[in-house]
Amino acid sequence: MAKIPAGVGPQYPQTVVLVGATGDLARRKLLGGLFHLVSAGFIPGCRIIGVSLDALDADGFRKLARAAIDEFSPRKFGQADWDAFAAILDYVPIAAGASGLRAAVQRAELGLGSESRRLHYVSVPPNAALAAVRLLGEAGLVERSRIVMEKPFGIDLASAVALNRELHQVFDESQIFRIDHFLGKEPAQNILAFRFANGLFEPIWNRNFIDHVQIDVPEKIGLATRASFYEATGAFRDMVVTHLFQILAFVAMEPPTALEPRSISEEKNKVFRSMLPIDPAHVVRGQYIGYRGEEGVETESDTETFIALKCFIDNWRWADTPFYLRTGKRLAEGQRIISIAFREPPKSMFPADSGVGAHGPDHLTFDLADTSKMSLSFYGKRPGPGMRLDKLSLQFAMHDTGFADEVLEAYERLILDAMRGDHTLFTTADGIERLWEVSTPLLTSPPPVRPYAVGSWGPNAIHQLIAPHAWRLPFERTWRDPNSVGA
């Protein structure tokens, strides 16, 4: 097993209280992530206590965890790894109340020593989150603890303010980690490295050289079992406020004074404070055909399953530079990209039939898949007589290096950061409240939803929204396979 770098994991042993331990997120991501962190040695001692409405015992929870890891974990493991992990699992049903939970935590900490810490991960629907927080408070589990809260953080400004106020009655802001798994992805953090560790692009990372920015996260998947959640939330609350705006902050922020949580959070919040309120005239809402027939969906539902919008950051670096955001369900492809479109030369010396300009401006594209990929497109001369130009590209993929196997999944990285008390990749109360504030005009006067076909790229109005530009997706070329011949 590779040696774990110093400072990556927490300093102290951890008791993890996983509220919502039998839910979809826990089964798909959290149990497998914790299993990998423990078995790989990232955590110097750990006990995990599952908590949910299900009337299970510890053995029942172990069976559920094993089935989830077998189904969803991409990593291979041996029986010895599983036996060691199973031994640290315990379970408390909600019906056991605060006293039952407190007793389970005390049992767990007997084997970890007095220097252990607690991580509470609240993975429950929004309407149950505060009840879980109060349970932790009643159980006396606030001391030496940190709490991870899942999205959404409210549904508008008033609810976000109320949620934060009630949270702060139990936990201090320094203990609260509002999670956005997009920021835990390796490529999202690579934006910071790309911008601030290299002298090539930062001097031109502004309105003078960049024409517009696209953050595009279409999804092929539908609702699965989340219809009731989605009906009360919609694409804007589910994806834009909690994910796409956070990515926008990484793209647009000023250089932080240091690579430490306070400096990075402050620069992100400066971006949010500089955002102009969202103009409903710059928004396209859509709903895929057949959505209203889904189980649990109202027959006259106005919930959007798609949203595209144009927003602006009113500061010196980005004034008048449009940021285009798009996301939705049941679309043509599942992608996660950031595309930076550079300004074209003010005058061309090439003849009209040379091909220059035929494929749009030069783009720098980040693929936010779990392993980093980047592409820089540009015009170059086609070999042969005459001056014919084609769009070419330089591409990088993490698979080109020897580090692809070292990539942590987003939830794994963020769990470790929360255990270490590192807020760099998490959202602050001020930041989330400001995002709801700039969203108020849209939430108050949303444009009507437009129908779109399953497997399309959304309603046709998205092309008027971005005109005279064009959406970067679908790509005019595919990512090259580094393993193919001639790549």
Side-chain angles (χ1 to χ4, degrees):
M1 182 180 298
K3 183 179 179 181
I4 305 301
V8 171
Q11 181 180 357
Y12 301 104
Q14 302 284 321
T15 298
V16 178
V17 177
L18 180 54
V19 185
T22 62
D24 188 64
L25 177 62
R27 292 188 306 106
R28 288 179 177 273
K29 294 292 184 180
L30 303 181
L31 289 169
L34 287 166
F35 174 58
H36 176 239
L37 294 177
V38 170
S39 59
F42 283 99
I43 307 173
C46 187
R47 300 290 188 274
I48 299 169
I49 301 168
V51 180
S52 82
L53 292 171
D54 294 271
L56 297 174
D57 59 12
D59 284 338
F61 181 51
R62 292 183 185 111
K63 291 177 182 177
L64 181 146
R66 177 60 190 260
I69 292 168
D70 284 341
E71 182 176 359
F72 296 112
S73 177
R75 298 182 175 97
K76 296 180 179 179
F77 59 90
Q79 185 62 37
D81 290 329
W82 167 253
D83 290 343
F85 184 70
I88 67 171
L89 297 180
D90 198 358
Y91 184 83
V92 177
I94 289 287
S99 59
L101 179 56
R102 180 170 60 250
V105 171
Q106 290 173 343
R107 287 196 305 270
E109 292 181 341
L110 283 176
L112 295 177
S114 60
E115 287 296 311
S116 65
R117 301 291 187 266
R118 299 160 181 162
L119 181 74
H120 308 308
Y121 199 120
V122 179
S123 176
V124 297
N127 59 3
L130 283 177
V133 170
R134 296 187 191 105
L135 174 67
L136 295 167
E138 292 169 9
L141 301 178
V142 175
E143 185 183 2
R144 295 182 287 112
S145 73
R146 297 177 176 118
I147 182 169
V148 177
M149 300 293 296
E150 273 288 343
K151 68 176 180 72
F153 315 112
I155 59 171
D156 53 21
L157 178 58
S159 61
V161 171
L163 174 61
N164 283 325
R165 182 172 59 245
E166 293 209 40
L167 270 175
H168 291 153
Q169 291 178 1
V170 181
F171 290 93
D172 184 77
E173 178 66 18
S174 64
Q175 296 176 284
I176 302 169
F177 292 77
R178 299 169 186 83
I179 194 168
D180 171 19
H181 74 273
F182 269 47
L183 295 189
K185 291 180 175 293
E186 200 75 42
Q189 297 166 73
N190 211 25
I191 297 169
L192 296 181
F194 187 88
R195 283 191 60 190
F196 301 128
N198 300 293
L200 180 60
F201 284 99
E202 182 56 26
I204 61 171
W205 206 267
N206 57 61
R207 65 187 302 273
N208 296 319
F209 298 94
I210 291 175
D211 184 82
H212 66 276
V213 177
Q214 295 181 34
I215 302 174
D216 207 353
V217 187
E219 297 182 292
K220 291 185 70 173
I221 61 173
L223 301 183
T225 60
R226 302 173 71 227
S228 60
F229 165 81
Y230 212 79
E231 266 291 272
T233 306
F236 181 77
R237 291 180 172 95
D238 183 40
M239 290 292 292
V240 177
V241 176
T242 51
H243 293 324
L244 274 63
F245 280 162
Q246 303 298 325
I247 294 294
L248 181 150
F250 268 23
V251 174
M253 65 192 284
E254 296 295 322
T257 56
L259 189 64
E260 54 91 19
R262 182 177 299 178
S263 295
I264 291 177
S265 292
E266 176 57 23
E267 295 305 333
K268 285 174 57 185
N269 286 343
K270 284 181 183 177
V271 172
F272 300 149
R273 290 195 293 269
S274 299
M275 288 179 66
L276 295 177
I278 305 301
D279 184 347
H282 294 161
V283 178
V284 175
R285 296 170 70 233
Q287 187 184 90
Y288 67 78
I289 297 171
Y291 171 76
R292 294 178 180 179
E294 300 271 12
E295 184 178 353
V297 174
E298 295 291 332
T299 55
E300 299 297 324
S301 174
D302 189 49
T303 299
E304 79 279 357
T305 62
F306 171 97
I307 191 154
L309 61 89
K310 176 170 62 174
C311 61
F312 294 91
I313 301 169
D314 193 25
N315 61 19
W316 277 38
R317 183 182 288 261
W318 297 112
D320 301 322
T321 302
F323 286 72
Y324 297 98
L325 282 58
R326 176 172 65 169
T327 187
K329 301 289 187 185
R330 303 297 300 274
L331 296 175
E333 294 179 18
Q335 292 274 3
R336 296 170 179 177
I337 71 151
I338 303 166
S339 191
I340 314 294
F342 292 99
R343 293 190 181 277
E344 298 188 63
K347 184 173 177 59
S348 176
M349 67 179 185
F350 298 97
D353 62 351
S354 67
V356 68
H359 299 288
D362 299 338
H363 284 85
L364 175 65
T365 301
F366 297 86
D367 187 331
L368 298 184
D370 285 331
T371 54
S372 299
K373 289 192 287 189
M374 289 182 288
S375 173
L376 177 63
S377 68
F378 56 92
Y379 285 98
K381 182 185 178 300
R382 184 187 300 177
M387 182 59 74
R388 292 286 299 167
L389 278 66
D390 278 335
K391 207 63 177 290
L392 308 174
S393 67
L394 297 173
Q395 296 188 5
F396 161 81
M398 185 61 70
H399 290 295
D400 296 336
T401 72
F403 304 128
D405 291 339
E406 298 181 22
V407 174
L408 287 176
E409 290 193 349
Y411 283 101
E412 296 172 354
R413 177 181 303 279
L414 292 170
I415 287 170
L416 284 182
D417 284 353
M419 287 178 172
R420 294 190 297 113
D422 186 339
H423 279 88
T424 301
L425 302 177
F426 296 85
T427 307
T428 66
D430 289 345
I432 198 65
E433 289 176 13
R434 172 57 182 166
L435 290 176
W436 285 121
E437 183 180 3
V438 301
S439 302
T440 298
L442 172 60
L443 299 177
T444 302
S445 302
V449 292
R450 301 167 183 259
Y452 64 93
V454 171
S456 70
W457 288 98
N460 288 333
I462 62 172
H463 303 298
Q464 286 77 48
L465 174 70
I466 203 170
H469 314 299
W471 291 100
R472 187 80 169 120
L473 289 174
F475 283 130
E476 74 275 8
R477 66 179 62 79
T478 59
W479 291 97
R480 288 194 291 269
D481 181 357
N483 297 317
S484 66
V485 177

